[in-house]
Amino acid sequence: MRGTALVAGGGIGGLSAAIGLRKAGWEVRVLERAPEFTAVGAGISLWPNALRALTELGLGPRLDPLLTPQTSGGLLDQDGRWLTRWDAAVFERALGRPLVGIHRAHLLELLLDALPDDCLEPGTTVGSAAELDADLVVGADGIHSRLRAELHPGHPQPVYTGTTAFRGVTARTDDVKLGVTMGPGVELGVVPLAGGDVYWYAAVSAPEGSTVDDPKAYLLDRFTGWRSKVPDLVARTETVLHHDIHWLAEPLPCYVGGNVALLGDAAHAMPPFLGQGGCQSIEDAVVLAAAAARHDSVAAVLAHYDRERRPRSQRIARNSARMGRFGQQLEHPLAVRARNTLVRLLPVSLSVRGSIRMSDWTPPRIGAQSPTSPAS
Ligand SMILES: Cc1cc2nc3c(=O)[nH]c(=O)nc-3n(C[C@H](O)[C@H](O)[C@H](O)COP(=O)(O)OP(=O)(O)OC[C@H]3O[C@@H](n4cnc5c(N)ncnc54)[C@H](O)[C@@H]3O)c2cc1C
């Protein structure tokens, strides 16, 4: 069908949905509460599933120059000893697409550039779906979604994961490889980006709302001496971002209601331990757009979308939380030692198998199809 859509929220999920729905022939406007659409943030990893979805959105040729495929990397302990080393090219061999790092701002710029200015309405806060006049409303208004609260008034709010995260991007000075250093209650990560930059993060177990007046000084004080590149990168970083991380621990019973589809963090905000939150929001967008092209009624579009997206995205959210408990959030020294031994003994092929399975997802085609054509 063809119709009108209003997208509440202009983040990765909302912009991807707008691009997909336009490709499906819909008239789309994106309502964003921020006074302007700004491309901000640190880095983000994109798995092959998201790259395939972005390609289906038509962004492939412009995307590729912004990506830095990860060719090798590994997991280290706090003393800099390898627990496991990956041949990250394994993803490209298995799935035809690599695991990549990208500057979040570059990704947002790419999405914004694919949309005409007159469909972007910054400075517009959506209070309720009832005030929006459109065939379809997309609730892409993030983890604290108003549209989710409207659809599921009694549903538990997102909860603190127990982890606070520091992130930054700076220039590379040497040949940095993808690497993650695990300490008790700590994960320090380094991801090379295009253009000679590097994205680093520090995920740390801490009480909710812990105030850190000077994140840079805090990180340097806490991690100097660690056998990781992160302290050096922190010292050279201009702006350090710091956020407590929350997630929707209680999964939603349904992603749709009335003429509204919840998408991205509004539907399934997950802990970042698998690096899949943004990837899942792009998958959501492509599935919604393909369903919008394919079905003859909004009810059928929404039913298809919920059926396709809820099981997979909720499974990945659960696995991401589990990964955090076994990984960064493990604090007891004996548990950390046992985990490290296990990781060291596990064959690499086995340790990447789960990630390959998770990112082996093929997007449906966005295009006019008859409702009786094979399921995407
Ligand atoms: C530390 C950290 C690391 C991460 N790393 C990765 C990674 O490596 N890979 C990955 O795939 N994901 C990662 N993620 C997850 C990823 O950032 C999110 O899943 C993704 O940004 C969600 O996009 P979204 O569009 O759903 O929501 P958001 O990006 O939150 O966008 C929501 C938008 O809606 C707007 N908005 C809110 N309320 C309203 C309203 N009422 N009216 C209008 N507009 C509104 C907001 O201003 C915002 O622009 C990470 C997250 C964190 C916290």
Side-chain angles (χ1 to χ4, degrees), residues 174-227:
D174 54 9
D175 184 26
V176 177
K177 296 269 188 263
L178 176 71
V180 177
T181 301
M182 309 294 299
V186 171
E187 180 178 325
L188 303 179
V190 174
V191 183
L193 300 179
D197 282 341
V198 55
Y199 160 53
W200 62 263
Y201 65 86
V204 180
S205 294
E208 184 172 13
S210 304
T211 312
V212 177
D213 291 332
D214 183 347
K216 211 163 146 169
Y218 164 80
L219 292 170
L220 288 175
D221 183 50
R222 177 138 186 209
F223 296 116
T224 294
W226 279 50
R227 303 274 312 255

Side-chain angles (χ1 to χ4, degrees), residues 354-366:
S355 304
I356 288 178
R357 210 178 301 135
M358 171 186 76
S359 47
D360 187 8
W361 180 85
T362 304
R365 302 301 305 273
I366 304 171

Side-chain angles (χ1 to χ4, degrees), residues 103-166:
H103 199 302
R104 198 180 273 261
H106 293 168
L107 176 60
L108 286 166
E109 261 162 29
L110 177 82
L111 297 171
L112 283 169
D113 282 352
L115 291 165
D117 284 349
D118 62 4
C119 86
L120 301 172
E121 296 185 23
T124 312
T125 299
V126 174
S128 156
E131 70 196 31
L132 303 178
D133 182 17
D135 297 318
L136 174 68
V137 170
V138 181
D141 49 344
I143 185 167
H144 301 295
S145 167
R146 284 198 193 178
L147 294 186
R148 181 180 67 234
E150 193 171 45
L151 237 54
H152 299 284
H155 195 84
Q157 293 299 309
V159 296
Y160 181 50
T161 54
T163 295
T164 198
F166 302 84

Side-chain angles (χ1 to χ4, degrees), residues 160-297:
Y160 181 50
T161 54
T163 295
T164 198
F166 302 84
R167 290 173 284 169
V169 171
T170 188
R172 288 204 289 269
T173 51
D174 54 9
D175 184 26
V176 177
K177 296 269 188 263
L178 176 71
V180 177
T181 301
M182 309 294 299
V186 171
E187 180 178 325
L188 303 179
V190 174
V191 183
L193 300 179
D197 282 341
V198 55
Y199 160 53
W200 62 263
Y201 65 86
V204 180
S205 294
E208 184 172 13
S210 304
T211 312
V212 177
D213 291 332
D214 183 347
K216 211 163 146 169
Y218 164 80
L219 292 170
L220 288 175
D221 183 50
R222 177 138 186 209
F223 296 116
T224 294
W226 279 50
R227 303 274 312 255
S228 156
K229 292 198 183 284
V230 167
D232 174 47
L233 297 173
V234 170
R236 292 192 284 107
T237 301
E238 221 165 277
T239 310
V240 174
L241 304 176
H242 175 209
H243 298 102
D244 278 358
I245 299 182
H246 295 79
W247 76 299
L248 198 58
E250 184 66 35
L252 289 177
C254 187
Y255 286 179
V256 300
N259 67 339
V260 179
L262 297 174
L263 176 150
D265 280 6
H268 46 65
M270 60 186 72
F273 302 113
L274 288 178
Q276 274 281 351
C279 299
Q280 289 304 301
S281 74
I282 303 167
E283 283 192 13
D284 290 346
V286 174
V287 171
L288 182 65
R294 175 179 173 190
H295 292 286
D296 288 334
S297 71

